[in-house]
Amino acid sequence: MTETEGVKLRRSQLATPGSDPEMISKAPSSGADEAFLDLEDSVAPNEKVDARENVIEGLVEGDWSETLPCFRMNGVETEWWYDDVIEVVGRAGEYVDTIMVPMVHGPSTVHTVENLLAQVEVNNDLPVGEIGLQTQIESAEGMNNVVEIAKASDRIESLVFGPGDYTASVGAAGLTIGSGDGYPGHYWHYQLARIAHAAKAEGLQVMDGPFAEIEDTEGFRDSCRHASMVGCDGKWAIHPSQIEPANEVFAPSETEAEKARRIVEEYERATAEGRGAVSVDGEMVDEATNKMAQNIVARAEQANLY
């Protein structure tokens, strides 16, 4: 399942070009926790309008019971974004879980999309506020404003790092999106940690962007592990082969899940007896450890490990 007690599981986000009807038809059964049908970077300018029709058809006709349905609109600085929202939400809004908003440089971008979205919902008898937003941080300006962006709307469910456009924005070296090969450390540690702090303070999820070297499975796993360690909840999969590794890395191992559950149970017993700490497997457990364990238990439950 993709959702447990209102918290959505987003270990993997499958990027699906809106110009490819066959890939769209396969997305709901891909095994990804979420698939976003893309109208932005993966679609050529002369295919934008036709791709919009493909996305609408895919949302309406697909069985999305096991995969969260999202679509990525074009940026608000383009000529297409307005009709993306009006057409897709107007004709397929009841099937849309979230809209991914690219190139979010500040809260005003979020407000612009939110205002139009609310009017489209009203005009099509859709519940106002039910469709969520996922905002992409992919510029130096967006990174500077990430705290304000995270607070910009109650619709926001996650912040998404876009390493490709961010690399271009800051003039960093490299041509392979998401790699950072040869860098002495985690190439995107600062950026992901900054986004994670802003997101978690508002109770939002954090998604890491693409890793372009599709055949480098271990490199992709390393990228997932690094992202997970700084607080990310999941990562893009730009090829179906990346879905399973992402799902594995962003879920606790069975050993970790079982230990976390023991910690929660033992700490609950200890506090009931008036003790503020307890030893579990030779380790001292206090309230801070218990909170960490509760997070792992929640993730394990979402991933059906119990």
Side-chain angles (χ1 to χ4, degrees):
M1 297 295 292
T2 57
E3 192 168 345
T4 300
E5 295 183 353
V7 179
K8 296 175 182 177
L9 192 63
R10 288 190 170 103
R11 298 167 298 178
S12 54
Q13 286 185 318
L14 180 63
T16 309
S19 54
D20 192 325
E22 183 177 356
M23 290 185 70
I24 291 174
S25 68
K26 294 178 179 178
S29 58
S30 64
D33 289 332
E34 181 171 61
F36 69 89
L37 310 184
D38 189 27
L39 293 172
E40 201 218 10
D41 282 350
S42 68
V43 180
N46 62 351
E47 296 183 331
K48 297 283 190 183
V49 176
D50 290 339
R52 198 181 291 144
E53 295 297 319
N54 296 336
V55 167
I56 292 169
E57 182 177 343
L59 289 167
V60 172
E61 297 187 0
D63 178 3
W64 295 97
S65 58
E66 294 298 321
T67 303
L68 292 169
C70 171
F71 80 91
R72 180 165 69 160
M73 55 179 272
N74 285 283
V76 299
E77 297 171 350
T78 72
E79 64 189 88
W80 302 287
W81 82 274
Y82 186 80
D83 286 332
D84 287 347
V85 176
I86 291 176
E87 290 292 324
V88 178
V89 176
R91 294 166 57 190
E94 63 183 295
Y95 305 98
V96 176
D97 183 65
T98 58
I99 300 172
M100 190 176 295
V101 185
M103 301 303 288
V104 178
H105 304 309
S108 62
T109 305
V110 179
H111 298 155
T112 296
V113 175
E114 182 179 42
N115 289 340
L116 176 60
L117 177 56
Q119 294 308 310
V120 176
E121 288 170 332
V122 169
N123 291 338
N124 290 277
D125 296 321
L126 295 168
V128 176
E130 192 166 285
I131 296 174
L133 299 177
Q134 300 191 58
T135 55
Q136 282 195 269
I137 310 300
E138 44 189 344
S139 67
E141 184 179 1
M143 194 66 68
N144 278 345
N145 295 324
V146 68
V147 172
E148 289 76 18
I149 291 169
K151 298 178 179 180
S153 170
D154 290 339
R155 289 186 188 257
I156 298 177
E157 296 186 10
S158 79
L159 303 186
V160 183
F161 180 49
D165 282 305
Y166 182 83
T167 297
S169 173
V170 300
L175 289 173
T176 303
I177 295 176
S179 175
D181 186 42
Y183 185 80
H186 179 201
Y187 196 52
W188 300 118
H189 178 274
Y190 166 78
Q191 290 81 4
L192 287 176
R194 183 181 175 97
I195 293 172
H197 288 150
K200 300 301 180 173
E202 298 302 317
L204 308 177
Q205 292 182 319
V206 183
M207 306 304 300
D208 191 15
F211 183 87
E213 296 180 274
I214 295 170
E215 296 182 0
D216 184 3
T217 304
E218 280 310 304
F220 179 74
R221 282 183 178 274
D222 285 342
S223 184
C224 289
R225 282 191 285 266
H226 293 155
S228 177
M229 291 178 74
V230 296
C232 289
D233 298 279
K235 185 172 176 64
W236 280 20
I238 60 173
H239 188 273
S241 64
Q242 294 181 332
I243 294 172
E244 185 176 353
N247 286 349
E248 290 178 0
V249 174
F250 285 100
S253 67
E254 291 185 9
T255 301
E256 186 181 24
E258 284 301 324
K259 182 176 180 179
R261 183 161 65 175
R262 288 202 312 277
I263 288 173
V264 171
E265 290 173 351
E266 290 296 327
Y267 187 75
E268 182 178 356
R269 186 176 297 113
T271 53
E273 296 172 355
R275 293 178 288 142
V278 65
S279 176
V280 177
D281 296 345
E283 297 181 22
M284 190 275 290
V285 172
D286 60 8
E287 178 58 25
T289 315
N290 181 54
K291 289 178 180 177
M292 293 164 60
Q294 286 177 333
N295 287 338
I296 293 173
V297 168
R299 289 166 53 204
E301 288 175 345
Q302 288 175 305
N304 296 320
L305 293 181
Y306 294 130

